[in-house]
Amino acid sequence: VITKVKARQILDSRGIPTVEVDLHTNKGVFRASVPSGDSSGTYEAIELRDGDKGMYLGNSVAKAVKNINERISEALIGMDPKLQAQIDHAMIDLDKTEKKNELGANAILAVSIAACKAGAAEKEVPLCKHLSDLSGRANMTLPVPAFTVLSGGNHASNHFAIQEIMILPVGASRFEEALQWGSETYHHLKAVVTEKNGNMGCNVGEDGGLTPDISSLKEGLELVKEAINRTGYGDKIKIAIDVAATNFCIEYPIVFIEDPFDKEDWEHTKYFSNLGICQVVGDDLLMSNSKRVERAIQESACNALLLKVNQIGTVTEAIEVVKLARDAQWGVVTSHRCGETEDSFISDLSVGLATGVIKAGAPCRGERTMKYNQLLRIEEELGDQAVYAGEDWRQTL
Ligand code: PGA
Ligand code: ZN
């Protein structure tokens, strides 16, 4: 049973405060922390921040920490950590608001994830297996990593308008090989960028992507294509874009595009999605909000969900929204945030829910490699049972 819940304020990868919690049970202490992003939308769960300009420029999370240490702790002590849905609903009921603004989604999610880890320990199974059980799925799958290799937009200070270009080693046979290919491509890209744009272009953005001062998407795609060519893996490595632009070339092996239009521009997103050029992933469009996902399914506005657990607030609700997307034959991409922590929960989540793709930034920088390295460990632990999504990344049913 849960014997103690103790939270504290820590820093995320951008140096901005976030919530960490230690949840104690008879089996030990289980720690979780929550990420944060740039694109906080009106439909996502509310991240509680103190707003005291004298403390971390208004970003401290003392209230969220206090809510855990007092109200949430009181409600959960004595509960069985295996009962994820009951724990999550106890917090949802305590909060009573739709967007979790009373206790803070950052407070609730940290505890939800810590309880999930404690539940796995209680059952003596790996975290990804526990998540797979909670979601009622039969099979686990190692996701294809969508490595950020070029950064722009709000995630970098260059003049490249597109937020990121990613590479997906779909033709690898195992996650371990995918990580190797991703890292090799990234390092080839460093050389390409240095040759064409000088080594200042090798400074990295928030997610670890390189930030050459290029001005067009085509220029970025050319750099990435050249890096892929140098690896010798050819069309076994595909490209994806998280962009806000209408014009792009189809001579590149692009397999998905995220947020091709403004988050309220349902019409164009739908039109674009129906062209069937590639998978269209809704991130800012959906904000992991089940009502928006339902609407997008009904209107066929896009055909894949970008899953950001902190936009939802509990593990249980994250599992539910993935089910919703799956039932509509959508793809699902498990995602990090630009402000990350040393928690690799989303790695287990992507395997347990078999989302097919994980997007956790570049194959560099500790808070990003944490996620990829955890997938290496999971693949090793699953041994013969490990299945890499590979070419089936779109549908891992
Ligand atoms: P964010 O970026 O964390 O700034 O929202 C991540 C993404 O857009 O995928
Ligand atoms: Zn995005």
Side-chain angles (χ1 to χ4, degrees):
V1 296
I2 299 173
T3 54
K4 183 178 164 187
V5 187
K6 166 88 177 69
R8 68 180 65 83
Q9 173 174 294
I10 60 166
L11 294 184
D12 72 18
S13 59
R14 304 167 302 177
I16 296 175
T18 188
V19 179
E20 175 175 273
V21 65
D22 288 349
L23 184 139
H24 299 242
T25 71
N26 310 334
K27 291 267 184 192
V29 184
F30 302 91
R31 178 169 292 169
S33 52
V34 296
S36 170
D38 281 340
S39 53
S40 319
T42 27
Y43 294 87
E44 66 180 79
I46 303 286
E47 206 168 63
L48 194 59
R49 299 205 179 267
D50 302 332
D52 170 359
K53 292 287 174 212
M55 291 283 282
Y56 286 100
L57 303 113
N59 288 319
S60 59
V61 292
K63 284 182 200 155
V65 166
K66 188 163 184 276
N67 286 343
I68 294 177
N69 290 341
E70 295 172 4
R71 296 166 67 190
I72 294 180
S73 159
E74 192 183 293
L76 301 192
I77 284 174
M79 285 182 83
D80 178 349
K82 295 197 294 300
L83 305 177
Q84 188 72 38
Q86 263 161 265
I87 289 169
D88 288 344
H89 285 289
M91 291 191 283
I92 292 166
D93 292 346
L94 190 64
D95 179 88
K96 292 192 186 73
T97 69
E98 195 183 332
K99 292 198 229 153
K100 306 188 171 63
N101 30 332
E102 174 66 23
L103 297 171
N106 42 359
I108 294 176
L109 181 64
V111 176
S112 181
I113 293 176
C116 191
K117 293 177 182 179
E122 202 76 23
K123 278 164 58 183
E124 297 182 355
V125 297
L127 181 56
C128 54
K129 175 70 173 74
H130 179 44
L131 281 159
S132 170
D133 294 346
L134 287 174
S135 75
R137 293 188 54 86
N139 303 315
M140 297 196 284
T141 311
L142 270 298
V144 170
F147 296 113
T148 305
V149 290
L150 275 189
S151 292
N154 283 347
H155 289 187
S157 44
N158 55 6
H159 296 95
F160 186 43
I162 282 113
Q163 186 181 289
E164 49 198 304
I165 298 182
M166 292 161 265
I167 51 155
L168 284 76
V170 299
S173 56
R174 298 165 49 77
F175 178 80
E176 188 182 30
E177 190 172 41
L179 184 59
Q180 179 199 326
W181 293 7
S183 170
E184 289 168 2
T185 313
Y186 184 76
H187 290 283
H188 279 299
L189 185 63
K190 271 192 177 174
V192 176
V193 166
T194 306
E195 286 159 29
K196 302 219 160 101
N197 307 78
N199 56 8
M200 283 290 280
C202 292
N203 287 338
V204 299
E206 280 180 352
D207 313 312
L210 306 180
T211 61
D213 207 8
I214 49 178
S215 45
S216 76
L217 176 55
K218 188 163 171 150
E219 227 180 313
L221 288 168
E222 283 296 342
L223 294 170
V224 173
K225 190 165 128 179
E226 173 60 19
I228 292 174
N229 283 346
R230 290 191 191 182
T231 63
Y233 302 125
D235 63 3
K236 290 182 176 164
I237 301 181
K238 305 288 187 198
I239 295 173
I241 305 172
D242 188 349
V243 64
T246 49
N247 299 322
F248 64 94
C249 285
I250 320 190
E251 331 139 20
Y252 303 94
I254 296 166
V255 290
F256 77 72
I257 294 196
E258 205 181 308
D259 289 335
F261 299 97
D262 182 78
K263 63 180 187 295
E264 299 302 340
D265 193 348
W266 294 75
E267 273 313 302
H268 284 101
T269 312
K270 176 178 174 174
Y271 174 76
F272 183 69
S273 173
N274 288 331
L275 291 178
I277 297 168
C278 64
Q279 179 170 262
V280 175
V281 183
D283 170 14
D284 296 348
L285 180 82
L286 304 172
M287 300 170 209
S288 302
N289 176 294
S290 60
K291 294 205 178 92
R292 289 180 73 95
V293 172
E294 267 163 23
R295 176 176 166 192
I297 290 170
Q298 245 157 37
E299 301 183 12
S300 326
C302 62
N303 46 40
L305 163 72
L306 193 89
L307 178 70
K308 289 172 166 169
V309 278
N310 78 314
Q311 289 187 329
I312 305 171
T314 64
V315 174
T316 303
E317 291 161 291
I319 292 173
E320 281 162 12
V321 75
V322 168
K323 273 207 184 108
L324 199 61
R326 269 277 165 50
D327 289 348
Q329 312 293 316
W330 277 21
V332 181
V333 176
T334 303
S335 174
H336 68 157
R337 301 306 305 267
C338 59
E340 266 302 331
T341 70
E342 301 85 6
D343 196 314
S344 59
F345 179 77
I346 59 166
S347 307
D348 284 77
L349 187 72
S350 69
V351 176
L353 305 192
T355 64
V357 182
I358 188 168
K359 173 184 172 184
C364 83
R365 299 189 24 145
E367 77 279 5
R368 313 294 148 184
T369 53
M370 286 280 313
K371 278 67 171 175
Y372 298 128
N373 290 339
Q374 172 66 3
L375 286 163
L376 279 182
R377 289 179 211 110
I378 294 174
E379 188 168 65
E380 182 184 293
E381 182 159 8
L382 292 177
D384 290 348
Q385 314 247 303
V387 178
Y388 175 58
E391 305 279 359
D392 295 330
W393 60 276
R394 220 181 246 101
Q395 280 297 343
T396 51
L397 296 170

